[in-house]
Amino acid sequence: MATSYQQFCPVAKAMELLDERWTLLVVRELVMGSEHFNEVRRGVPRMSPTLLSKRLHQLVRAGVVDRRPDGRYLLSAAGRELRPVVEALGLWGTRWIGELGDADLDPRLLMWDMHRSVVADAVPQGRTVVRFRFPDAPTGSRDWWLVISADGTDVCDIDPGHEVALTVTGRLRALTEVWRGDRTWQDAVGAGELVVSGPADLRRSLPDWFTLSTFARVPRPVAAGR
Amino acid sequence: MATSYQQFCPVAKAMELLDERWTLLVVRELVMGSEHFNEVRRGVPRMSPTLLSKRLHQLVRAGVVDRRPDGRYLLSAAGRELRPVVEALGLWGTRWIGELGDADLDPRLLMWDMHRSVVADAVPQGRTVVRFRFPDAPTGSRDWWLVISADGTDVCDIDPGHEVALTVTGRLRALTEVWRGDRTWQDAVGAGELVVSGPADLRRSLPDWFTLSTFARVPRPVAAGR
DNA sequence: CAGTATCCCTTATGATACTG
DNA sequence: CAGTATCATAAGGGATACTG
C-alpha cells in the first residue's frame, strides 16, 4: 500500500490511493464499462495478473469498487464519481501529451478499443467484417478482423473466414492517430497513409462506423503566446 | 522517470507523468500560487529537497513548468490546465476520503494553509495577532501565531511578542476539520472543541477572517442507496 | 536562500509458472 | 475463466549532511 503523505489535504488523501502505478488505468477500464477480471485485463495488457488482482482488491478496500459474488467488479458510488478525474486527465493528456512513442502503439489494444466504439446503426445489417492490415507491425499482429453483427463485435487476430467488406491498410500509427482524434479519417486517407479498399459506398460510410476515442473531439491547444 | 505504460490512451500518457509520488502535490502547490523552491517546500514538508528538486525538473522537462532565470517556477499553459485535474481530485478526496489519521494532522501545514486564506478586509485594520493552541500537539508545535497586517500574514511558532487579539484553543483535529469544511466553526465552538477567547466582537467575526480550504464548500455525499 | 550529494534500503513491480 | 504463488531485479524515495 502506498505510504501516507501525512497531509490532511484532500488532494493528498485522494492521491494516496490513486497515484500508484496502474490504479487509475484500472479505474478507467471500470469507468469504460468492464466488469470482469479478464475484461479489465484486456484494457491493461502490460499489467501482470498478480498486480491487477492486487489493485482491484485495493480499490475494493478503499470502497471504490464492489466485488459481486458472481465475480464482477462494479464501481461504487465513490468509484463512479472518479469519472470526472479520469476525464480531466484524458482531456489534459489529449491536449498536452501529443507525441506517441513507437512503444505506445499496440494493435491489440487499438482493436479492443475500436470494437467497443462500433456504432451498430451505422454499419450495414447482418454480419460485416472489417479487416485491418498493419504492414509495419510485428509478425503475428499485422492482420486483424472486426466482425460486426447484431450480437456485438468480435476482435479476431486470425482470419475468421467470413467475407471481408472493407480492408483498411496502413501504418499502425496512422490508425491510432485517427482513433485518438489527432487527425481525421479524411486526412489520413487523403495523405495516402490509410488505404481503404472495398465497395465505394462502404468506403464512404466507414468513418461513421466508429465513435472513436472518448477524447477524440477534445479541442487541441491553439498555438498561443505566453 | 516513470516507466511507460505502453498505451496510446491519453489517460495513460498523462499518468506517466503525474502518477509518481508527490508530483501532483507539487503541481497543487504551484496551482495555489507558490513560485519559489522553498515556498513549494513548505507545502510538502515531508518531501526531501532532493526529491522536490527532481520533481520540479521533471515537470520542467515535461513542459508543465517554466523555470525562470530569477529562480521562480511558473506553470506553463499546459501546467495551468492541470488545475481541473487537481480540483477533480480534491473534490473527490473531500467527498470520499473523510477519515484523517493522526499522522495526517500537521499544525505547521495547517498554519501555512490558513495564512494563505486570510481575508484581509475582514480582519481589523493594523496588526492583528491570532494565537492558536493545540494542547494535544507535540511539544514545540503547540503554540502558533498568525500575524496579520496590511503587508500580509506571517506564521510564527515562537511568540512574536505582539499583543494577541484572539486565542483559539483546541485539538489540532478540530481546527483541521473546520479548515477542511468537514464541520463549521459554529459546530466546533458549540461542541466546546474549539475555544475562542478575546473580545466578543472579534470572536464573532473570526469565522470570516479565513476563506478556509478550496474544497471546504464541496457538498458531502448524502447517505444514499446503491 | 536554493538547492546537491550520498547512501541505504525497502518495496513496487515485471516475468513466469501454476492452481481451484 | 479467474485468479495465486514465487522470485529477483531495479529503483524509487527517505534521511541526512553538505555547498554555491
Side-chain angles (χ1 to χ4, degrees):
Chain A
M1 189 168 53
T3 322
S4 163
Y5 282 119
Q6 304 190 26
Q7 293 201 182
F8 51 81
C9 166
V11 177
K13 297 305 289 177
M15 287 310 275
E16 283 179 14
L17 173 67
L18 300 175
D19 75 357
E20 278 189 300
R21 190 165 161 76
W22 293 109
T23 299
L24 225 85
L25 301 194
V26 173
V27 171
R28 178 199 68 193
E29 289 305 307
L30 296 169
V31 166
M32 294 296 295
S34 291
E35 298 186 342
H36 287 272
F37 188 89
N38 284 338
E39 200 178 359
V40 173
R41 215 183 148 185
R42 272 188 282 271
V44 284
R46 317 277 317 184
M47 187 178 189
S48 82
T50 308
L51 193 51
L52 173 55
S53 174
K54 180 176 171 188
R55 286 290 183 273
L56 284 168
H57 290 316
Q58 288 176 307
L59 290 170
V60 169
R61 251 183 289 130
V64 167
V65 168
D66 293 327
R67 169 136 204 264
R68 294 306 180 80
D70 59 10
R72 292 184 303 157
Y73 294 92
L74 298 184
L75 290 171
S76 66
R80 288 191 294 275
E81 287 193 22
L82 283 172
R83 177 186 284 273
V85 172
V86 173
E87 287 175 346
L89 284 164
L91 193 148
W92 187 85
T94 299
R95 284 172 61 79
W96 298 105
I97 315 277
E99 308 76 32
L100 298 178
D102 287 338
D104 298 328
L105 307 177
D106 181 334
R108 168 164 266 115
L109 202 46
L110 180 59
M111 291 294 114
W112 174 249
D113 275 357
M114 289 188 74
H115 109 280
R116 283 201 284 210
S117 92
V118 167
V119 181
D121 293 346
V123 183
Q125 299 281 357
R127 183 171 58 212
T128 305
V129 178
V130 186
R131 176 167 61 161
F132 293 90
R133 319 202 68 173
F134 308 115
D136 62 324
T139 315
S141 42
R142 287 197 185 129
D143 296 289
W144 299 83
W145 291 262
L146 291 188
V147 182
I148 305 167
S149 74
D151 299 342
T153 303
D154 289 329
V155 180
C156 304
D157 59 357
I158 55 173
D159 189 346
H162 308 306
E163 188 194 1
V164 170
L166 285 177
T167 297
V168 180
T169 307
R171 289 196 309 145
L172 175 56
R173 178 178 293 273
L175 187 62
T176 302
E177 288 172 350
V178 170
W179 162 256
R180 289 178 29 114
D182 296 331
R183 61 194 307 187
T184 62
W185 282 101
Q186 286 71 22
D187 176 57
V189 170
E193 296 196 37
L194 288 181
V195 177
V196 184
S197 61
D201 57 330
L202 296 183
R203 295 208 314 265
R204 243 189 324 273
S205 67
L206 174 67
D208 299 325
W209 295 8
F210 306 93
T211 57
L212 302 185
S213 148
T214 319
F215 304 107
R217 320 229 271 182
V218 165
R220 303 325 203 242
V222 293
R226 167 139 321 282
Chain B
M1 188 166 56
T3 321
S4 163
Y5 282 118
Q6 304 190 29
Q7 293 201 184
F8 51 80
C9 167
V11 177
K13 296 304 290 179
M15 288 310 275
E16 283 178 15
L17 173 66
L18 300 175
D19 74 359
E20 280 189 299
R21 190 167 160 77
W22 293 109
T23 299
L24 224 86
L25 301 195
V26 173
V27 171
R28 178 199 68 192
E29 288 305 306
L30 296 169
V31 166
M32 294 295 295
S34 291
E35 298 186 342
H36 288 272
F37 188 90
N38 283 338
E39 202 178 356
V40 173
R41 212 182 150 186
R42 272 187 282 270
V44 284
R46 318 277 316 184
M47 188 180 190
S48 82
T50 307
L51 192 51
L52 173 56
S53 175
K54 181 178 171 187
R55 286 289 183 273
L56 284 168
H57 289 315
Q58 287 175 308
L59 289 169
V60 169
R61 253 183 288 130
V64 167
V65 168
D66 293 327
R67 170 138 206 262
R68 294 306 181 79
D70 60 10
R72 293 184 302 157
Y73 295 92
L74 297 184
L75 290 170
S76 66
R80 289 191 295 275
E81 286 193 22
L82 283 172
R83 177 186 286 272
V85 172
V86 174
E87 286 175 347
L89 285 164
L91 192 149
W92 187 84
T94 299
R95 284 173 62 79
W96 297 106
I97 315 276
E99 308 75 34
L100 297 178
D102 287 338
D104 298 328
L105 307 177
D106 181 334
R108 169 165 264 114
L109 202 48
L110 181 60
M111 290 293 115
W112 175 249
D113 276 356
M114 290 188 74
H115 108 278
R116 284 201 284 210
S117 92
V118 167
V119 181
D121 292 347
V123 183
Q125 299 281 357
R127 182 172 57 211
T128 305
V129 177
V130 186
R131 177 166 61 161
F132 293 91
R133 320 202 71 171
F134 307 115
D136 61 324
T139 315
S141 40
R142 286 195 185 130
D143 296 288
W144 299 83
W145 291 261
L146 290 187
V147 182
I148 304 167
S149 73
D151 299 343
T153 302
D154 289 327
V155 180
C156 304
D157 59 358
I158 54 173
D159 188 347
H162 309 306
E163 187 193 2
V164 171
L166 285 177
T167 297
V168 179
T169 306
R171 289 195 311 145
L172 176 55
R173 179 177 292 272
L175 187 62
T176 301
E177 288 172 350
V178 169
W179 162 254
R180 287 176 33 112
D182 297 331
R183 62 195 305 189
T184 61
W185 280 101
Q186 287 70 21
D187 176 58
V189 171
E193 296 198 36
L194 288 181
V195 176
V196 184
S197 60
D201 57 331
L202 295 183
R203 294 206 317 264
R204 244 188 324 273
S205 67
L206 174 66
D208 300 325
W209 295 9
F210 306 92
T211 56
L212 302 187
S213 148
T214 318
F215 303 105
R217 321 231 268 184
V218 165
R220 302 326 200 242
V222 292
R226 169 140 322 280

